[in-house]
Amino acid sequence: MSDLEHRVGVKEANLVVRNLRLCKVTDENCDALIEEIDRLFGIDEVSYNIRENVIHLAYDATHLNLEGIETVIRKHGADLHNDWWTHTK
């Protein structure tokens, strides 16, 4: 992929891809949560698998970090799943 195949502000060399399990995601907060994350500068792609409770994120690490994304997740009443693998990622 080239930089032209990503959103504005996202460079291939700085792209980080994460799949994280979440908890406390409901039908009421899911759409708003994904929409707000999707509007963040530096996000290339975001999706949520409601059956597996996993959020897929692709972002440019020079513009955005996981702590900033976690803040948005918690703002909507959800949280990272409290297991070893999710915290290791």
Side-chain angles (χ1 to χ4, degrees):
M1 275 185 143
S2 72
D3 290 340
L4 297 175
E5 296 174 7
H6 298 286
R7 288 186 183 178
V8 174
V10 177
K11 296 200 180 277
E12 180 76 23
N14 304 319
L15 193 64
V16 175
V17 177
R18 298 201 185 265
N19 293 295
L20 303 169
R21 283 184 55 198
L22 299 182
C23 60
K24 299 187 232 171
V25 177
T26 63
D27 291 336
E28 292 80 31
N29 67 3
C30 184
D31 290 337
L33 169 67
I34 298 303
E35 283 179 27
E36 184 168 350
I37 291 173
D38 197 41
R39 287 192 310 261
L40 295 173
F41 183 74
I43 283 285
D44 191 43
E45 178 181 332
V46 61
S47 61
Y48 185 71
N49 183 327
I50 201 151
R51 282 181 282 137
E52 296 179 11
N53 294 321
V54 174
I55 190 168
H56 169 78
L57 302 163
Y59 60 92
D60 187 314
T62 61
H63 298 296
L64 197 56
N65 60 33
L66 191 55
E67 287 80 24
I69 295 170
E70 285 179 29
T71 301
V72 174
I73 290 169
R74 290 186 178 107
K75 173 182 162 186
H76 288 277
D79 207 347
L80 292 179
H81 194 273
N82 193 19
D83 64 346
W84 174 85
W85 186 245
T86 299
H87 288 282
T88 300
K89 292 181 183 182

